Amino acid sequence: MITELYDKLGQDAQKRQTLIAMKEQLRGENKANARSALISHCGGDFTALVDCLSAEDAKARKNAALVMGELGVQKLLAPLWEAYENEQTRFVRSAYLTALKNYDYTALLGQLKSALERLNAEEVSEENRKHLQEERMLLRGLIAAKERVRQHRYAGDTLVSELVLTTNRNHKNILMAELGACRKKELGAGVMVQLAEPSKLFALRSFEEMLFVLPKCRTVPAEPEAAAGALVAAGLCEYLKQRHEQSAAPYRFRIELRGRMALEKRGGFVRSMAAFIEEKSRAVLVNATDGYDLELRLIETKEGSYHVLLKLFTLPDFRFAYRQKTIAAGMRPFNAAFCMALAKNENDVSGRMFFRENAKVLDPFCGAGTMLIERAKCVPVKESFGIDILEEAVLAARENTRFADKKANYVNRDFFTFVAGDPFDEIVTDMPFTVSESEEKKQEIAKLYRRFFERAPEFLKEDGVMLLLTHDRTLVKKYAAEAFVCIREFELSMKEGSYLFLMQKRRKA
C-alpha cells in the first residue's frame, strides 16, 4: 500500500527505492485510488515527502519531485519551486519542471521566463548539453501553456525573395505562363521565381506551396550539428528578422525531413538538429510542437546531403482554406484547382472554350465538394449540382461550399438512381477508384465505369463536355469511346496513376 510506503520515508535509509515504488503506484492502473489514499492519509501534512527534496541522494530528490508532481496538491508548489531554484545537480532539475505541469503555476510565470533567459545565456558543453536542452524545452512548454503563442507578422514584401513554387511535375508550363514576365526557371518539383511581394502570388491557384530559399545556404550536410551550424552561420536568424515586423524572439520552428532515411532514425536526427539550432542561435530559433512561424523543409539530394527550404506560416495562404471538412480518400484542393487550370484554355471540338461562363455543372461523385468549388473559382457558373451516395460527403460538401462563399445543390443519392431536370453543360468529377488487389473490387470498379459512361450522356446537352479525373485510364478508354470524343488527355502522375480527360459528348448521327 502506498500509505505504508509513505510512513517508511521518515525512518527509511533507502528513500530512493521507496519513492520509486510510490511513483510506480501513482502511475499504475489504480493511480487514482493511490493518489486519493495518500492525500487522505497525509491529511495535509506532507513533511516527510518535502524533506526528501533535501536528501543527499540526487536520485531521491528527483523521485520525490516526480511523486509530488503526480499528487498535484497545490500547497506543494512552493517547496517544489524552491527546490528547483536551489538544485545544483543538472539531471535532477528537469524533474521539478515536469512536476509543475500538474499545478497552477501561473504566479511563477515571470520566474520561469527569467530561468529560461539564464539557461539560454549559459555556455553549452558536451557534459551539460543533453540536460540543458531538456530543461529549456520543459521551461518553454510551461510558459507556452500559460501564454497564447503570438506568431510573428510577415513584413517582407518590399524585399526581393527567391522562392520555390511547387506544382505538378508534368505540367510546370501552366505555372510558368501564369507567372508572366518575372525572373523564373523550372525545377524538378516546380518553378523557382525571384521577386518582391510574394503575397501577390496567392492570386494563382496553379501552385501548391510557396517555399523560401535561404540565399547563403541552399544545402546542408546530413549530420545534425553540421546542418544546424550551416543554417545559423548562413544568417537564418537575420533573414527572418528582415522579413518580419520587429518583435521579440524567438521564432518557433519545426523540421520536416524528406528522403530515404529510415523512420526509426529520422526522429532522432530531427530532434538532434533542432536542439543544435536552438543552441547555436542562442534560442532566437526554438523548436515547437505548435504555433510555428516556419518549417525547415529538408529534401535529400542524390549525393545524400539536404536541400533546405523555408515555409513561412507567417505569410498565410488562404486559397484552399475553405476545406473545413474532409472525407476518406478526398482529393486535395490543389489537385482540383490544377485540373481546372489545365482545362481553362482548352477548346472543345467546335473551337469554343472548354469551360463556358454561366454553365450548369454536375459532379456525380462529389465527395466533399472540392471539384465543384474549384470549377466555380476558375470560371463563373450558373448552377452547380453535386451527388454522392455518402451522407457524410454531402454534409462536408455543403459546409466547404459555404466557407468558399459559393453556391451548389448537393443531393445524398446514388448517381445511378438520380433523376435530373434540364440537362447540364458540363460534368466535372473525380472518379471512384480502389487500391485493393481483390479481383472482386476491381470488377466492381469496372462495372461502375461501364454504367457511368452509359448513363452520363443522358445528363449532358448535345454539345456538353466532361472533365474527368481518373486512376483507371484503361477503363476510360474502354467504355467512353462510344458516347464521348476525347479532346485532350493529361498524365498528372505516373507514380499515382492519375490522368485527366477532357471529353465532349458525341453528336448523334
Side-chain angles (χ1 to χ4, degrees), residues 447-463:
K447 181 181 178 181
L448 181 145
Y449 268 73
R450 176 179 58 76
R451 295 177 68 200
F452 172 75
F453 282 109
E454 288 173 353
R455 188 131 202 271
E458 301 173 17
F459 291 88
L460 285 172
K461 294 179 179 178
E462 286 307 306
D463 61 347

Side-chain angles (χ1 to χ4, degrees), residues 9-267:
L9 282 178
Q11 64 272 5
D12 192 355
Q14 301 296 318
K15 285 184 171 58
R16 184 203 304 181
Q17 288 77 6
T18 302
L19 288 162
I20 290 172
M22 291 173 66
K23 180 181 69 177
E24 289 174 350
Q25 289 196 31
L26 288 165
R27 292 178 175 177
E29 291 183 6
N30 297 314
K31 58 185 178 183
N33 291 337
R35 179 177 180 273
S36 297
L38 182 54
I39 292 173
S40 177
H41 180 71
C42 292
D45 183 2
F46 298 93
T47 304
L49 185 56
V50 172
D51 286 346
C52 291
L53 296 176
S54 304
E56 291 186 15
D57 182 356
K59 290 186 178 179
R61 300 196 300 274
K62 175 181 177 180
N63 282 285
L66 295 174
V67 167
M68 292 165 75
E70 297 299 328
L71 290 176
V73 176
Q74 193 65 22
K75 70 180 298 182
L76 296 175
L77 177 64
L80 264 175
W81 181 251
E82 183 181 356
Y84 168 73
E85 290 194 304
N86 293 329
E87 184 60 62
Q88 299 299 311
T89 304
R90 180 68 68 183
F91 78 84
V92 180
R93 292 175 64 84
S94 294
Y96 300 109
L97 299 177
T98 300
L100 288 185
K101 293 178 183 178
N102 293 329
Y103 289 81
D104 179 5
Y105 56 86
T106 308
L108 296 175
L109 201 53
Q111 291 162 277
L112 288 166
K113 291 179 180 179
S114 297
L116 182 57
E117 288 177 9
R118 289 194 298 271
L119 282 184
N120 288 338
E122 194 168 328
E123 289 297 325
V124 180
S125 66
E126 288 301 320
E127 291 73 24
N128 70 12
R129 174 174 281 119
K130 176 183 175 181
H131 299 300
L132 195 62
Q133 290 171 350
E134 182 182 15
E135 193 176 342
R136 285 172 175 163
M137 180 185 70
L138 287 166
L139 280 167
R140 282 199 301 270
L142 290 167
I143 294 167
K146 294 295 181 184
E147 289 190 330
R148 185 174 67 86
V149 175
R150 292 186 177 181
Q151 195 175 59
H152 289 77
R153 291 175 60 89
Y154 183 81
D157 265 2
T158 58
L159 301 172
V160 173
S161 295
E162 196 168 10
L163 311 167
V164 171
L165 306 176
T166 63
T167 190
N168 185 282
R169 288 173 175 267
N170 293 347
H171 303 285
K172 289 173 281 206
N173 59 301
I174 298 294
L175 179 56
M176 288 286 283
E178 290 187 351
L179 285 168
C182 65
R183 189 175 175 183
K184 58 188 184 290
K185 68 175 181 179
E186 291 189 15
L187 300 174
V191 175
M192 180 176 282
V193 60
Q194 197 171 57
L195 45 66
E197 297 186 286
S199 57
K200 288 188 175 181
L201 293 177
F202 292 131
L204 308 179
R205 306 183 78 78
S206 55
F207 71 91
E208 185 164 19
E209 287 189 291
M210 176 187 293
L211 304 169
F212 286 70
V213 178
L214 187 61
K216 297 179 181 179
C217 188
R218 296 172 184 270
T219 60
V220 294
E223 194 281 315
E225 184 171 9
L231 283 170
V232 175
L236 175 56
C237 299
E238 291 73 19
Y239 185 87
L240 294 172
K241 289 175 181 176
Q242 289 169 358
R243 283 164 175 77
H244 293 88
E245 288 183 1
Q246 292 301 314
S247 56
Y251 292 90
R252 297 163 65 86
F253 73 90
R254 71 181 297 270
I255 298 175
E256 170 76 15
L257 188 149
R258 299 183 181 181
R260 300 182 294 268
M261 186 182 295
L263 286 176
E264 58 268 21
K265 294 183 179 179
R266 190 172 300 192

Side-chain angles (χ1 to χ4, degrees), residues 291-308:
Y292 320 111
D293 294 302
L294 70 148
E295 173 184 291
L296 295 170
R297 180 80 55 83
L298 304 181
I299 305 167
E300 190 173 6
T301 68
K302 292 179 181 179
E303 296 76 24
S305 57
Y306 288 94
H307 292 302
V308 59

Side-chain angles (χ1 to χ4, degrees), residues 348-499:
D348 68 10
V349 292
S350 64
R352 294 173 60 189
M353 297 302 293
F354 186 82
F355 286 150
R356 292 93 187 262
E357 283 199 25
N358 300 315
K360 185 179 178 184
V361 185
L362 170 69
D363 186 345
F365 311 103
C366 69
T370 310
M371 285 290 254
L372 285 177
I373 292 169
E374 290 299 333
R375 169 61 186 87
K377 285 183 176 289
C378 184
V379 176
V381 301
K382 181 180 180 180
E383 288 183 281
S384 294
F385 286 80
I387 307 167
D388 205 285
I389 198 168
L390 295 176
E391 182 182 17
E392 173 196 10
V394 168
L395 294 174
R398 288 172 180 161
E399 182 124 350
N400 291 340
T401 304
R402 181 172 64 84
F403 273 101
D405 197 25
K406 299 296 179 183
K407 292 182 178 180
N409 302 290
Y410 292 104
V411 181
N412 180 202
R413 183 89 44 92
D414 184 341
F415 167 65
F416 300 108
T417 65
F418 179 68
V419 178
D422 295 333
F424 293 86
D425 297 292
E426 301 170 18
I427 291 175
V428 299
T429 198
D430 177 17
M431 290 293 285
F433 67 98
T434 181
V435 294
S436 171
E437 292 298 318
S438 160
E439 193 59 35
E440 182 181 358
K441 290 290 185 184
K442 291 179 180 179
Q443 289 302 318
E444 285 179 12
I445 290 295
K447 181 181 178 181
L448 181 145
Y449 268 73
R450 176 179 58 76
R451 295 177 68 200
F452 172 75
F453 282 109
E454 288 173 353
R455 188 131 202 271
E458 301 173 17
F459 291 88
L460 285 172
K461 294 179 179 178
E462 286 307 306
D463 61 347
V465 296
M466 180 159 62
L467 178 151
L468 186 143
L469 178 62
T470 180
H471 288 78
D472 293 282
R473 179 174 179 260
T474 55
L475 294 178
V476 176
K477 296 280 190 180
K478 182 176 181 179
Y479 294 118
E482 184 175 338
F484 290 92
V485 176
C486 182
I487 298 170
R488 187 79 188 270
E489 175 188 347
F490 299 95
E491 179 187 82
L492 298 181
S493 171
M494 180 180 291
K495 181 180 178 181
E496 296 177 4
S498 59
Y499 295 82

